[in-house]
Amino acid sequence: METEQIIRTEYSELMQKSYIDYAMSVIIARALPDVRDGLKPVQRRTLYDMYELGIRYDKPYRKCARIVGDTMGKYHPHGDSSIYEALVVMAQEFKKGLPLVDGHGNFGSIEGDGAAAMRYTEARLKKITQEAYLADLDKNVVDFGPNFDETEKEPLVLPVKVPNILINGAEGIAVGMATNIPPHNFGEVIEGVKAYMKNPDIRTEQIMEHIKGPDFPTGGIVVNQDDLLKIYEAGTGKLKIRGRIEVEHGKGGKDRIIITEIPYTMIGAGIGKFLNDVYGLVESKKTTDIVDISNQSSKDGIRIVIELKRGADIDRLCALLYKKTRLEDTFGVNMLAVADGRPETMGIVPMIRHHVNFQFEISTRKYKTLLNKELEKKEVQEGLIKACDVIDLIIEILRGSKNIKEAKACLVEGETAAIRFKSEKSKKAAAKLRFTERQATAILEMRLYKLIGLEIEALQKDYEATLKNILKYEKILGSRAEMAKVIIKELDALQKEYATPRRTSIENAGEIVLEEPQMEELDVVFLMDRFGYARTIDVSVYERNKEAADSENRYVISCKNTDKIGIFTNYGQMHLLKVADLPFGKFRDKGQPVDNVSNYDSSKEELVFLASLDQMKQQKMLFVSRMGMLKLVNGEEFDVAKRTTAATRLGDKDEVLRIGFWEEGMHLVMQSKKGMFLRIETEAVPEKKKGAVGVRGIRLAADDLLEEAYLMKSGEGIVIPLGEEELELNRLRVGKRDTKGVRHV
């Protein structure tokens, strides 16, 4: 019986190795495309499975569930959703520059609607996929490897004749890296490949005379043409893309803005987000020119209609749409692909170089396979022609043989001992026969009708055609220039049939300059109720409803509509919100949650103090923490551009307890959870920067914290409940800062 062995391994080494193995698996075998065929493994396996199932472009559609199940069972054991998703994307014309799958049924929409379940949809290969992606698989042009359980063989790469990685682009997130390659125009890419084949030393700017830039299936406009050379040289960079706007002039000066093309990045939920953003511009009074917006898009294309009021400023509105919505967006280019078994970021010339080298490799293998077949055919044809000349002798050998083995031995090696001949002359002639094994097999399998005169002539013609093919294939294999001609001829044929006009315009456009209209400065009153809903009202409205406003709201602050409100939290953060972002209206309007117009999150932090920026800039603010730390901060320090900033520095596990505006002569009373009270003069608290911790205000026991802090103006009396009794705070003796205080329970 074998004894069990425990192998001790350093945990960090095991984790490191396991993580690297996992990362490489994701990078190479799942997330990134191969530079040669531009396909991820799931796409390659799905297309090959459809090819194997015979779901050709001229055959009936087959259920996607059948394709997905077959692919998963044979080649891709990673779940049906990933396979179906890949199949759907390859059929979506708005995502792929050149769809590879012909989908039948609901395959989703440009607005983000998902495809129907795979049991309802059907698919088959596109004609281009068969001709340019899957052709010649029977000619040993690519290597095959075992599938996951070694029961099937699958191609390690498809013999794609066009640079699919550029035509269809790619996107994928691996471990520690991601790829994002934009799609390009089919005809332009073919021209670029041909230019490279004619001049392998071609530079990026010369390639770009043919490949002008990205060509998105959604159209749009690339507006930073001057950056394209740098992007295509390095393989990384940012494209600025805009939707296309048209203006329709209506009756009575009422115009309409029509969006006919959208940025590629807006596909899916981005369209709904754009509509909401336009609604937001109207609600926030960024524009008053929009009357209505409707999405009239259909299978014929994008059509988003914005109705304008009479005399609208169209130029400003277009600038507003580009600046404040995703109608102008950025596409981050990162041309990362697997080359020679490792991920590599490449410019456009190296990508085409890899593709062309691959074309020469598959063409060499193809024509070697074809040449070998023709040489085999030639051998057989020569044997049959020779056999026709001595057919009487061969018949005599066959009739005199007891079995095929004797007849074959005579035909190949001239062995006549076991065969009965009619004459010695025939026996001597038979002894001289020297057919090859392949020729002898063909002769033995030859049918008698082949001896008809016309059949013999046809055999002679086939032999001549075979000789011509051998010369042709040897010529192609013997010269790189000849092979290049053949590849270019194939590319020309594909270009003629499948090239389409460019959809995306490439131009240089200046940065959008949007002049914000100057807001008329008004005095308003900020109101926030106990539920965190805030709004602003006119001062006169407040005066008429003062009693109700003061009693119903947690905060009531007089400010300007151009001011900002600072929200201070228990975690020492200050969130700024613009008063202009709050709804302005009637007294009984509900308002807007402050969470929606600032970075404040009421579910995670507690509001401690709230004030207008104008108030803060004119005063000093006293900070009190749970651990009894105190400091004064000049309010001007909170006049910052950031929406969120650290208002104070806190110790470990400390929180802000109280913040208040400071005045001379004020007293501070600190109350701890264990009933300790300390009253001090606030002049004893030093002024510090907002980034400082502060000084200790009270000495607390190890397990004690401040429960409350009270700021009292001179002469003010505050009475608090204390058990069943009350405590008048101004009767407490004034002590020194950083002492224990006195106990009141």
Side-chain angles (χ1 to χ4, degrees):
M1 184 176 175
E2 288 185 16
T3 56
E4 185 178 314
Q5 281 188 317
I6 296 173
I7 300 169
R8 294 191 176 276
T9 309
E10 179 65 37
Y11 189 68
S12 60
E13 288 177 15
L14 184 68
M15 287 295 290
Q16 187 178 24
K17 183 181 182 303
S18 300
Y19 188 76
I20 289 170
D21 290 346
Y22 158 73
M24 287 307 293
S25 171
V26 172
I27 290 165
I28 304 299
R30 195 180 293 196
L32 300 186
D34 192 297
V35 72
R36 296 170 295 175
D37 61 6
L39 298 169
K40 297 181 190 179
V42 65
Q43 296 169 324
R44 185 180 304 120
R45 288 165 175 169
T46 305
L47 292 176
Y48 178 66
D49 187 75
M50 292 175 77
Y51 171 81
E52 283 288 283
L53 289 172
I55 312 172
R56 311 297 163 89
Y57 77 94
D58 52 354
K59 296 286 193 297
Y61 294 96
R62 296 281 286 278
K63 284 283 184 191
C64 289
R66 171 68 199 277
I67 298 164
V68 170
D70 205 62
T71 305
M72 184 166 58
K74 286 182 179 176
Y75 309 116
H76 197 75
H78 296 299
D80 55 356
S81 60
S82 63
I83 300 169
Y84 186 50
E85 217 172 278
L87 181 67
V88 166
V89 169
M90 287 192 288
Q92 291 176 328
E93 293 186 352
F94 52 86
K95 274 196 180 172
K96 292 291 178 186
L98 184 73
L100 305 178
V101 171
D102 181 5
H104 185 242
N106 176 11
F107 273 76
S109 75
I110 195 169
E111 293 174 35
D113 302 312
M118 66 179 95
R119 61 184 177 274
Y120 301 121
T121 55
E122 298 176 328
R124 63 185 177 190
L125 291 169
K126 285 261 190 186
K127 190 182 178 189
I128 177 69
T129 315
Q130 280 179 225
E131 292 181 358
Y133 287 68
L134 295 159
D136 303 327
L137 271 172
D138 58 339
K139 296 182 178 66
N140 187 35
V141 288
V142 292
D143 291 331
F144 279 69
N147 69 338
F148 61 92
D149 61 359
E150 299 190 1
T151 57
E152 302 275 346
K153 293 282 188 182
E154 61 173 309
L156 303 181
V157 64
L158 289 185
V160 179
K161 295 178 181 178
V162 293
N164 179 60
I165 198 160
L166 291 173
I167 291 165
N168 272 330
E171 60 180 28
I173 300 169
V175 178
M177 58 185 71
T179 186
N180 205 25
I181 304 169
H184 295 78
N185 182 269
F186 185 90
E188 289 182 7
V189 171
I190 299 296
E191 285 298 324
V193 172
K194 291 192 290 189
Y196 175 85
M197 290 179 75
K198 289 169 186 172
N199 175 21
D201 298 321
I202 196 167
R203 298 191 308 278
T204 306
E205 56 264 38
Q206 293 170 306
I207 280 277
M208 289 184 68
E209 291 173 13
H210 305 283
I211 303 172
K212 308 293 183 188
D215 187 25
F216 297 105
T218 53
I221 310 161
V222 172
V223 295
N224 58 332
Q225 186 176 13
D226 286 347
D227 297 337
L228 293 184
L229 178 60
K230 192 175 176 183
I231 291 169
Y232 282 123
E233 187 76 53
T236 58
K238 289 183 178 178
L239 296 169
K240 273 191 182 175
I241 45 179
R242 288 181 191 166
R244 197 177 297 278
I245 290 177
E246 294 176 3
V247 179
E248 285 184 5
H249 298 290
K251 293 178 182 177
K254 285 188 176 180
D255 298 329
R256 298 197 296 177
I257 286 177
I258 315 293
I259 295 159
T260 57
E261 294 174 9
I262 58 171
Y264 187 63
T265 50
M266 203 196 276
I267 288 173
I271 295 177
K273 174 80 166 58
F274 169 73
L275 298 174
N276 286 333
D277 287 346
V278 176
Y279 295 142
L281 293 175
V282 176
E283 283 181 2
S284 62
K285 304 288 192 296
K286 290 278 194 306
T287 178
T288 55
D289 289 339
I290 296 175
V291 175
D292 189 27
I293 179 169
S294 59
N295 185 4
Q296 300 175 11
S297 304
S298 66
K299 61 182 180 181
D300 298 322
I302 291 290
R303 182 178 168 85
I304 298 171
V305 180
I306 301 174
E307 304 275 354
L308 307 180
K309 71 180 186 183
R310 189 178 286 108
D313 185 345
I314 292 173
D315 290 340
R316 184 185 178 278
L317 194 53
C318 290
L320 188 70
L321 291 174
Y322 283 137
K323 197 77 174 174
K324 299 292 184 181
T325 73
R326 287 185 66 184
L327 198 59
E328 177 177 293
D329 208 354
T330 301
F331 183 97
V333 176
N334 191 28
M335 296 167 71
L336 179 73
V338 176
D340 301 322
R342 52 180 292 184
E344 189 180 334
T345 302
M346 290 168 275
I348 195 166
V349 174
M351 276 197 163
I352 291 176
R353 182 186 303 120
H354 277 287
H355 169 76
V356 169
N357 290 343
F358 180 55
Q359 291 313 297
F360 277 106
E361 182 190 328
I362 61 176
S363 290
T364 301
R365 291 178 67 159
K366 173 185 173 180
Y367 286 108
K368 276 184 179 176
T369 302
L370 290 173
L371 177 62
N372 289 334
K373 281 185 179 177
E374 291 298 317
L375 289 170
E376 287 174 14
K377 201 191 288 184
K378 170 177 174 274
E379 183 184 335
V380 169
Q381 287 167 340
E382 284 176 345
L384 291 176
I385 289 167
K386 186 178 170 185
C388 287
D389 292 339
V390 291
I391 194 65
D392 294 334
L393 177 61
I394 288 170
I395 291 169
E396 194 174 331
I397 292 167
L398 294 176
R399 292 187 71 179
S401 303
K402 294 186 185 71
N403 51 50
I404 289 177
K405 188 178 177 184
E406 289 178 359
K408 198 169 188 180
C410 182
L411 292 173
V412 175
E413 296 164 10
E415 290 184 12
T416 57
I419 300 171
R420 287 183 289 103
F421 289 93
K422 289 180 180 179
S423 66
E424 193 65 29
K425 184 181 177 185
S426 296
K427 190 174 183 179
K428 285 180 181 178
K432 293 177 183 176
L433 293 177
R434 289 296 183 273
F435 289 102
T436 65
E437 283 277 344
R438 193 176 280 117
Q439 287 172 339
T441 302
I443 290 165
L444 292 170
E445 291 173 353
M446 185 174 68
R447 297 188 179 186
L448 287 174
Y449 77 85
K450 290 285 184 184
L451 301 174
I452 298 168
L454 290 175
E455 287 294 326
I456 294 170
E457 281 181 30
L459 179 62
Q460 192 67 41
K461 281 182 182 176
D462 286 347
Y463 178 61
E464 288 169 8
T466 301
L467 291 176
K468 280 183 184 176
N469 285 340
I470 289 169
L471 282 172
K472 176 183 165 186
Y473 299 152
E474 284 177 342
K475 186 180 179 184
I476 291 168
L477 289 166
S479 164
R480 190 176 173 90
E482 285 298 321
M483 191 174 285
K485 284 181 188 174
V486 173
I487 294 170
I488 288 171
K489 189 178 178 182
E490 284 185 345
L491 290 175
D492 285 338
L494 291 170
Q495 185 180 7
K496 187 177 179 183
E497 187 166 355
Y498 298 108
T500 54
R502 166 173 276 280
R503 287 167 283 201
T504 302
S505 305
I506 309 284
E507 59 185 59
N508 277 316
E511 186 73 28
I512 295 291
V513 178
L514 182 64
E515 292 183 6
E516 296 282 357
Q518 288 296 315
M519 186 185 293
E520 183 186 353
E521 193 171 85
L522 296 172
D523 287 320
V524 295
V525 177
F526 167 88
L527 304 175
M528 190 182 104
D529 64 22
R530 57 196 170 93
F531 301 108
Y533 281 77
R535 63 200 187 281
T536 56
I537 57 173
D538 191 78
V539 176
S540 60
V541 175
Y542 170 70
E543 293 295 341
R544 288 198 301 272
N545 300 275
K546 188 175 189 304
E547 191 176 332
D550 292 348
S551 62
E552 293 172 10
N553 290 286
R554 183 177 171 187
Y555 290 98
V556 178
I557 299 170
S558 295
C559 57
K560 302 278 189 189
N561 60 347
T562 54
D563 202 355
K564 292 179 182 177
I565 300 291
I567 300 170
F568 292 81
T569 74
N570 59 325
Y571 293 138
Q573 299 289 313
M574 181 194 72
H575 306 294
L576 281 177
L577 72 85
K578 292 179 180 177
V579 175
D581 289 341
L582 293 168
F584 174 79
K586 298 174 183 175
F587 176 66
R588 288 294 170 195
D589 286 350
K590 190 175 181 183
Q592 178 98 319
V594 289
D595 297 46
N596 293 0
V597 287
S598 71
N599 291 342
Y600 171 64
D601 187 347
S602 57
S603 66
K604 295 178 181 175
E605 48 193 345
E606 185 184 325
L607 195 156
V608 174
F609 183 70
L610 188 146
S612 76
L613 192 56
D614 275 355
Q615 278 180 299
M616 291 190 278
K617 287 195 290 187
Q618 295 165 25
Q619 301 186 59
K620 290 179 183 177
M621 298 164 69
L622 177 67
F623 282 73
V624 184
S625 83
R626 288 266 180 204
M627 290 183 174
M629 304 302 289
L630 310 175
K631 69 173 178 179
L632 283 174
V633 180
N634 192 321
E636 287 187 343
E637 287 204 40
F638 300 109
D639 186 6
V640 291
K642 284 200 230 173
R643 292 186 70 190
T644 297
T645 188
T648 186
R649 188 175 165 197
L650 293 168
D652 191 29
K653 296 182 182 176
D654 200 1
E655 289 184 16
V656 176
L657 172 65
R658 187 71 62 235
I659 301 172
F661 287 123
W662 176 82
E663 292 177 15
E664 279 188 36
M666 272 187 157
H667 283 200
L668 172 69
V669 178
M670 291 168 277
Q671 175 190 357
S672 84
K673 289 187 176 180
K674 291 195 170 182
M676 300 300 294
F677 284 80
L678 177 62
R679 177 184 176 188
I680 64 169
E681 294 175 340
T682 54
E683 276 77 4
V685 180
E687 184 177 332
K688 297 207 171 253
K689 295 291 183 185
K690 69 177 194 287
V693 175
V695 296
R696 188 160 56 188
I698 182 172
R699 284 181 181 272
L700 293 168
D703 55 348
D704 201 6
L705 292 170
L706 286 189
E707 186 173 45
E708 193 52 86
Y710 305 94
L711 259 176
M712 299 190 302
K713 293 180 183 177
S714 179
E716 184 181 6
I718 297 175
V719 179
I720 64 166
L722 198 65
E724 294 179 359
E725 299 179 7
E726 290 183 336
L727 178 64
E728 202 171 327
L729 297 182
N730 61 4
R731 292 206 168 193
L732 291 171
R733 185 171 58 83
V734 178
K736 290 187 177 181
R737 182 182 64 77
D738 198 15
T739 57
K740 290 183 179 180
V742 292
R743 185 183 298 277
H744 286 272
V745 180

